[in-house]
Amino acid sequence: MRILGIDPGSLVTGYGVVDASGGALARVASGSIVMKPADAMPQRLERIYRGIIDVIDAEHPDSFCIETAFYGKNVQSTLKLGHVRGVAILAAVHRGLAVAEYSPREVKRAVTGTGAAAKHQVAYMVKRILAVDIDFARADEADALALAICHASRRGGPKKAFSSWADYVAANKERVRA
């Protein structure tokens, strides 16, 4: 199974593709989609959408997972993250992929054993689990690979999986208005 993990961000969106076969995991590709801070939000969203579509078309994942939104004190940041998540999920659904979502705490626990791990601990464990010796350009890349690893460990029953946009909306009707 090939898994695409997405760590959404309005300036940097990380992606990581992992092959999971039996108990073995292997890094296929990873990187970041980087936006210019001066660009307006609609242009950033288009770049994120097209970037994810390009990764899907190049790597042909079987599954897609994304980090859930966390609620901070900054409402504007939370709204921007929601927009980014929306276009990322839309890209996956447009390419026929089921969508699974995992909280940051759940991802950290799956990769490091504790939900309170620091970013550098997650990056270290991702390198160990995937047996790669690379320097991640950004933490978002390691986080996206961690998402894919988390999903691989929960393949038997991801927390939330949707095979269509309609299924996603139906399951989240209290948060989504059609």
Side-chain angles (χ1 to χ4, degrees), residues 3 9 11 16 20 64 112 117 119-120 123 125 133 145 151 157 164 169:
I3 304 162
L11 289 174
F64 176 95
T112 68
K119 288 218 176 254
H120 72 277
M125 288 307 298
D133 187 26
L145 286 165
H151 185 69
S164 71
V169 171

Side-chain angles (χ1 to χ4, degrees), residues 66-120:
I66 189 166
E67 191 173 79
T68 58
F70 58 91
Y71 304 99
K73 293 181 181 179
N74 187 329
V75 175
Q76 285 298 319
S77 294
T78 303
L79 286 171
K80 287 178 183 176
L81 181 59
H83 295 329
V84 173
R85 283 178 32 80
V87 298
I89 290 167
L90 183 63
V93 172
H94 275 176
R95 289 299 190 254
L97 297 174
V99 176
E101 300 178 73
Y102 300 99
S103 71
R105 193 166 198 67
E106 189 174 5
V107 173
K108 290 176 184 180
R109 191 176 7 184
V111 174
T112 68
T114 176
K119 288 218 176 254
H120 72 277

